[in-house]
Amino acid sequence: MTRKIRAAAAIALIGATALTAAGCSANSDASSDGGKVTMTFWHNSTTGPGKAFWEKTVKDFEAENPNVTIKIQAIQNEDLDGKLQTALNSGSAPDVFLQRGGGKMAAMVNAGQLLDISDSIGSTAKSQISDGSFAGYEQDGKTWAMPVDVNPEGIWYSKDLFEKAGIDGTPTTIDELNADIQKLKDADIQPVAVGAKDAWPAAHWYYNFALRACPSSVLTKTAQDLKFTNACWKQAGEDTKAFFDTEPFNDGYLTTAAQQGAGSSAGLVANHKAAMELMGAWDPGVISSLTPDGKPLSDLGFFPFPEVSGGKGETGSMMGAVDGFSCSAKAPKKACTDFLNYMTEKPVQEAYYKAFNAIPANKSAQTVVTEPYLKSVLEAYNKAPFVSNYLDTVYGQNVGNALNTSVVNLLAGKGSVSDIVSTVNQAAAKG
């Protein structure tokens, strides 16, 4: 299998183009698909406002498109990739599904499993979604998914617990973060929550240390050749181990889930049982669903991943991703792409923000973002000289899984820094 990956290396979120008001799609019938059409739709919002949003969005789309019926299946996030890959390989893929991009998408494109939507992108999507957001879903000069939100990553924290521990402001360097973690420990507060049971949340610490240790050119080149030979990959491992050795995480972190229930890492922050969590910009919505009253955490704050002394990564660079949706190669093209375009309309995007507390991809819909923490995310994101998609996405499923597992092994004392590099190189060699 050839690897033709266009990494989402520099996502420009806010363009300088004029914003125009956008109404709902006008030409959304299924006539070119041969009359009545039934589609299947897979997403990862299994509870709360997110699930309700998709149910309403589908119902509203069906009302405007009476020839189209959409059957929804909500799948837990950590189960989605495996079930989707099985469905794609068996020829029973859903018509519409969550697309993470990077190497995972490249494998689908190369296997002929996705619909090229390049000539079906509607006027609203073209004018209101930045080229940078689309870039992560482009390969071989074509577009394979529709962006719906942007998810920069950083550290979410409880302002109340920081104040209780005597922490003034937020850390900008890893040394300052370590000092704040010690203050939290001294105040008998669990500093950092991590859902290591699901592997990827722990591995995200390595991703961010790699972003600080490696120049953007190395991250981009590695996405193309999957060779983890630069010394910065080992340096990232050393920095990660040094941080892990300070014992910053919650009790029982190896068996803590990421986003399911009050005992998950997001739940610990939501219930003031831990002060911080490293996660993408979807986290406020997850946290909100896990607070005692089911409402947004009133004292939630955000700060970018701290800088690391001696690193070669550009200062201010961020991890981040664009969430979007693809149509399978066998999907009814007009009905499926009409639905994708409908997701990008301003009223739908505003409702998406209210349901998920996440930053919409539609620039005109971003005016509804009022939370100080999301404004902080946007400010950091717009200043970032380089934005890398999450490494397990950029480098594909095989390498991504190997990377995540090896980082958790390091955290659990079952592996070494050298094992991280050797394991991912072995996974890359297997293709």
Side-chain angles (χ1 to χ4, degrees):
M1 180 183 296
T2 59
R3 295 186 179 90
K4 301 176 180 177
I5 303 172
R6 179 169 179 173
I11 302 174
L13 177 61
I14 306 295
T17 57
L19 302 182
T20 58
C24 292
S25 300
N27 300 312
S28 297
D29 64 78
S31 57
S32 65
D33 290 321
K36 292 187 178 298
V37 171
T38 298
M39 297 191 298
T40 51
F41 171 41
W42 286 13
H43 65 76
N44 65 343
S45 303
T46 57
T47 61
K51 184 179 181 182
F53 164 81
W54 283 121
E55 290 171 349
K56 184 180 186 302
T57 298
V58 165
K59 183 178 179 180
D60 291 347
F61 179 80
E62 290 175 333
E64 291 191 17
N65 301 270
N67 290 332
V68 180
T69 299
I70 299 177
K71 296 181 178 180
I72 306 173
Q73 186 170 353
I75 301 173
Q76 174 58 36
N77 180 69
E78 281 70 31
D79 298 331
L80 180 61
D81 284 3
K83 290 185 176 181
L84 178 60
Q85 195 58 58
T86 298
L88 287 166
N89 292 343
S90 65
S92 58
D95 296 292
V96 191
F97 54 87
L98 181 69
Q99 177 58 254
R100 303 190 195 274
K104 294 180 180 180
M105 187 192 78
M108 296 176 193
V109 172
N110 293 336
Q113 296 168 332
L114 299 185
L115 181 70
D116 172 15
I117 68 168
S118 305
D119 61 357
S120 302
I121 299 171
S123 58
T124 296
K126 286 181 178 178
S127 65
Q128 298 301 315
I129 298 177
S130 70
D131 291 343
S133 293
F134 272 112
Y137 291 137
E138 294 172 355
Q139 182 177 316
D140 303 333
K142 300 175 181 179
T143 303
W144 303 95
M146 182 70 73
V148 296
D149 69 25
V150 291
N151 284 304
E153 182 167 76
I155 297 178
W156 304 90
Y157 74 102
S158 163
K159 294 180 180 179
D160 289 350
L161 293 184
F162 266 40
E163 183 178 357
K164 183 178 178 180
I167 299 172
D168 184 19
T170 54
T172 59
T173 68
I174 200 68
D175 289 340
E176 291 175 355
L177 176 62
N178 288 333
D180 288 343
I181 286 172
Q182 187 58 53
K183 289 181 181 179
L184 289 161
K185 288 181 178 181
D186 292 343
D188 202 24
I189 298 169
Q190 296 190 102
V192 182
V194 63
K197 177 181 178 182
D198 293 319
W200 60 267
H204 276 223
W205 285 93
Y206 177 83
Y207 301 173
N208 281 274
F209 278 115
L211 187 68
R212 294 290 177 257
C214 298
S216 58
S217 58
V218 171
L219 294 175
T220 302
K221 185 175 184 297
T222 305
Q224 298 166 349
D225 61 22
L226 293 183
K227 293 181 180 178
F228 296 81
T229 54
N230 192 285
C232 69
W233 294 110
K234 185 176 181 181
Q235 182 60 54
E238 297 287 358
D239 293 339
T240 303
K241 185 178 186 304
F243 180 73
F244 286 176
D245 285 348
T246 67
E247 300 182 351
F249 300 128
N250 60 284
D251 297 336
Y253 55 83
L254 290 174
T255 56
T256 299
Q259 301 176 331
Q260 301 175 60
S264 67
S265 55
L268 292 176
V269 176
N271 292 279
H272 287 139
K273 300 297 184 182
M276 290 179 273
E277 182 184 25
L278 173 65
M279 194 60 65
W282 62 83
D283 207 32
V286 178
I287 290 172
S288 296
S289 71
L290 298 173
T291 58
D293 59 3
K295 296 180 179 179
L297 191 66
S298 60
D299 66 317
L300 187 65
F302 171 89
F303 59 90
F305 193 87
E307 300 297 328
V308 179
S309 177
K312 296 182 179 179
E314 292 89 338
T315 300
S317 294
M318 297 183 78
M319 280 285 153
V322 178
D323 275 343
F325 288 85
S326 285
C327 295
S328 71
K330 297 179 180 179
K333 183 174 183 179
K334 179 166 175 52
C336 194
T337 55
D338 279 350
F339 184 46
L340 296 187
N341 282 311
Y342 183 77
M343 294 179 187
T344 72
E345 297 293 345
K346 183 178 180 182
V348 179
Q349 285 271 283
E350 289 176 341
Y352 184 97
Y353 155 76
K354 292 175 182 177
F356 292 99
N357 207 207
I359 301 170
N362 182 315
K363 292 177 288 188
S364 62
Q366 291 170 357
T367 57
V368 300
V369 175
T370 57
E371 289 83 357
Y373 48 80
L374 287 183
K375 288 185 175 181
S376 296
V377 174
L378 280 170
E379 181 181 2
Y381 195 62
N382 292 333
K383 292 179 180 178
F386 174 76
V387 178
S388 172
N389 204 332
Y390 303 118
L391 301 190
D392 57 346
T393 297
V394 173
Y395 301 142
Q397 189 160 342
N398 289 341
V399 173
N401 287 344
L403 177 58
N404 292 349
T405 300
S406 60
V407 174
V408 172
N409 285 341
L410 178 70
L411 178 59
K414 298 179 180 178
S416 67
V417 169
S418 297
D419 289 339
I420 296 176
V421 177
S422 62
T423 299
V424 294
N425 276 321
Q426 289 169 13
K430 294 177 180 179

